[in-house]
Amino acid sequence: MGIIDEIKALKAEKNALILAHNYVRPEIQELADFTGDSLELSMKARSSGAKLMVFCGVRFMAETAKLLSPESTVLLPNPDADCPMARMADGEQVKAWRSEFPDAVFAAYVNTTAGTKAQVDICCTSGNAEKVVRSLEGKKVVFLPDRNLGGNINNKLGTEMALWNGCCPVHDQVTPEMLKGAREFFPDAAIIIHPECKVECTALADAALSTAGMLKFVKDSHKSTFVVATESGLLHRLKKENPGKRFIPLAPEIICPDMKKITLEDLRDALKFNQHEIILPPEVMENAVKPIEKMLALS
Ligand code: 13P
Ligand code: SF4
C-alpha cells in the first residue's frame, strides 16, 4: 500500500480529524478534512467534537486547538514545527511588561505560545484583528508580538497601540522594492499581501488580508492575474480553486521552513503511533483559553 492509502486507512481506523493550515505542503492539504486560516482552524477545532485531531501547521495552532477542545487528543505530527514569531514574546517577559503598563489591555496575536496567551486579555488572528482592536476603543492597548500586524492596524484604524518588537521572519523579508517591481511588470494584476508584512509594503498592495481573506478576494475579483505576497503554500489552494486565474509569487524566498516540516511520513507516524500529543499544564489551559474565547465571541 502506498503512503497516501496508508494515511487514509489509519485516519478511518482512528476516526481522526485532520486539520491543515493554508501554508503546509500541498500533499498534506490534500489529505486534510479541513484547510484554512488560523481563525477558521480554531473555530473548526472548537466545533468539531472530534476525539482525535491531527493538526498540520505549527505548534501554537495545535495548542490553540487543544485549548478550545480540551477533551480531545491533539497531535502535532512534527514536534519541531514551531513559529519563530511565537517565541519572540514569552510569558515571563509579557508579565514584566504588564507591570510597566498596569492600566493597559494586552492584546496578543494568536501566533504566541499558550504560556503567553495565559498572560494577556484578548487574542486576535490576522482575520479578525481589526474587529478585535475596534472592540477595545478608548482603552490603552499593548499589542504583541507582531510589530507589523500591529502597525498595519494602527495605520488603518488610526489607533496608537504600543507594539512589541517581534515579527514574522518570513513576511518581514518583503520589501517595498519587490512590490514596486511587481507593479511595474504586472500592471494589470491585483497585488495581495499578508498584514504580517511591513506597513510600507502593505501600503503598496491592493489588499492586505489573512490567507482566508486572500482566497475570498481572489474568488470575488474580476481580475485574472494576482501577485501573491505571502507564504508559498497558499498558491496550492489559490490555483486549485481558481483554475482560470494566474498567480505570481512576489518572491521565491517567501517560504516558511516550519510550515513545511510536516511530511507525509510524519502524518502517517502520528496516526500510527498517536504521536506527538499536545500537553499543556492545567493552569496554562485554564488561563490561556480565556483570551481566545473572548476573541471568538467577537468573530
Ligand atoms: P492566517 O492564515 O491566519 O492569515 O495566518 C498566517 C500565519 O501567520 C500562519 O503562520
Ligand atoms: Fe510564523 Fe511567519 Fe511561519 Fe507563520 S509564516 S508560522 S508567522 S514564521
Side-chain angles (χ1 to χ4, degrees):
M1 198 192 305
I3 190 160
I4 306 267
D5 289 333
E6 204 182 340
I7 290 169
K8 285 182 181 164
L10 283 161
K11 175 178 144 37
E13 180 196 321
K14 305 255 170 134
N15 202 16
L17 179 78
I18 302 180
L19 299 176
H21 186 266
N22 288 323
Y23 291 158
V24 299
R25 293 169 185 265
E27 62 272 25
I28 303 282
Q29 294 190 32
E30 286 298 310
L31 284 163
D33 294 290
F34 182 79
T35 303
D37 74 353
S38 308
L39 180 61
E40 292 172 330
L41 289 166
S42 57
M43 298 203 307
K44 200 75 188 173
R46 188 170 64 161
S47 66
S48 80
K51 286 207 165 38
L52 177 63
M53 278 182 228
V54 185
F55 204 108
C56 300
V58 286
R59 179 167 292 275
F60 78 80
M61 295 178 175
E63 285 184 352
T64 302
K66 178 69 186 174
L67 292 167
L68 290 168
S69 190
E71 303 305 325
S72 310
T73 298
V74 179
L75 306 177
L76 177 65
N78 186 326
D80 295 332
D82 202 358
C83 167
M85 172 157 59
R87 299 277 152 202
M88 291 181 189
D90 93 11
E92 288 308 307
Q93 288 174 300
V94 176
K95 213 169 166 181
W97 219 30
R98 286 207 80 130
S99 61
E100 281 180 47
F101 295 89
D103 54 348
V105 173
F106 273 62
Y109 194 20
V110 280
N111 299 41
T112 40
T113 62
T116 294
K117 287 185 179 78
Q119 300 295 335
V120 303
D121 302 299
I122 191 161
C123 284
C124 71
T125 72
S126 57
N128 63 11
E130 283 178 38
K131 204 185 260 182
V132 168
V133 173
R134 273 206 191 92
S135 79
L136 305 174
E137 203 187 332
K139 296 183 176 143
K140 187 180 169 67
V141 181
V142 173
F143 187 86
L144 62 105
D146 190 352
R147 60 173 185 250
N148 292 338
L149 178 61
N152 278 310
I153 301 168
N154 272 346
N155 240 16
K156 184 138 185 212
L157 303 183
T159 46
E160 292 181 341
M161 297 186 292
L163 307 177
W164 192 271
N165 193 19
C167 69
C168 161
V170 179
H171 288 94
D172 200 54
Q173 300 175 90
V174 173
T175 64
E177 289 64 40
M178 291 176 186
L179 292 149
K180 285 178 196 157
R183 189 67 87 193
E184 202 181 315
F185 282 114
F186 306 103
D188 297 329
I191 303 183
I192 50 177
I193 195 166
H194 198 277
E196 288 174 9
C197 296
K198 296 183 186 87
V199 172
E200 56 271 33
C201 294
T202 57
L204 296 170
D206 295 301
L209 298 161
S210 75
T211 54
M214 288 186 189
L215 284 155
K216 182 171 182 337
F217 179 94
V218 166
K219 195 169 165 227
D220 295 346
S221 173
H222 62 272
K223 294 254 184 187
S224 58
T225 307
F226 300 84
V227 173
V228 183
T230 195
E231 211 281 336
S232 65
L234 186 65
L235 291 163
H236 177 66
R237 277 190 70 190
L238 284 170
K239 288 178 185 165
K240 189 175 166 190
E241 293 172 21
N242 303 278
K245 297 184 178 179
R246 182 181 174 210
F247 299 97
I248 298 143
L250 178 73
E253 62 267 36
I254 316 179
I255 293 177
C256 174
D258 283 278
M259 280 289 184
K260 302 294 177 255
K261 280 190 179 153
I262 295 172
T263 61
L264 287 174
E265 288 73 17
D266 293 334
L267 179 53
R268 180 207 44 212
D269 292 349
L271 285 161
K272 201 168 180 173
F273 305 116
N274 271 3
Q275 63 187 27
H276 301 273
E277 188 176 352
I278 298 289
I279 298 185
L280 296 166
E283 68 281 8
V284 169
M285 293 278 291
E286 194 189 324
N287 291 317
V289 74
K290 293 175 191 164
I292 306 173
E293 287 289 3
K294 260 191 219 162
M295 164 187 96
L296 292 177
L298 294 169
S299 301

